[in-house]
Each structure stands twice: as C-alpha cells, then as structure tokens.
Amino acid sequence: MLYEVAILELPKKVKDEEEGQERLALGPVFVIAKDHQSAAISAVLDNPEIKIDRTRMQVLVRPFV
C-alpha cells in the first residue's frame, strides 16, 4: 500500500512554555509499506540526513488514496 509520510520536529519545552511552532523536518514523502507503522519506520530509517532529537520527532502517516 502507498502511504504519505511527514516528520515534524516538535519545539523544546522551556520552563513549562513551548519554544515556538513545529518545524517540518521531512516530507511529505511517499512510502510503499504493508501498514502505517512500517511506513513510519521506513521513512525515518531511509532518511539519515534528518538531524533532530528523536524524542522531539512526530511522524505523521496517512494512506494515499
């Protein structure tokens, strides 16, 4: 199945306040995978140029119809 994947970098939390807005780190890109989870993992592993803290990463996946 074909999926559309985007990766957002979430802002840092500084003393109970957010740093700013999310930043688009990757995407949207198209990924062929068997399910949503496989598409997310594939997008992250296939793009090593993404240099963000993985605890601040949000991966958005939707089927491409």
Side-chain angles (χ1 to χ4, degrees), residues 11-22:
K12 292 180 183 177
K13 296 231 179 196
V14 180
K15 295 183 183 176
D16 299 327
E17 294 181 16
E18 288 193 3
E19 178 183 71
Q21 294 184 346
E22 297 93 11

Side-chain angles (χ1 to χ4, degrees), residues 1-6 28-40 43 60-65:
M1 185 170 211
L2 184 63
Y3 292 94
E4 190 173 23
V5 182
V29 295
F30 295 101
V31 176
I32 296 175
K34 64 179 182 173
D35 57 24
H36 284 80
Q37 186 174 5
S38 298
L60 306 172
V61 180
R62 71 175 180 180
F64 185 77
V65 222

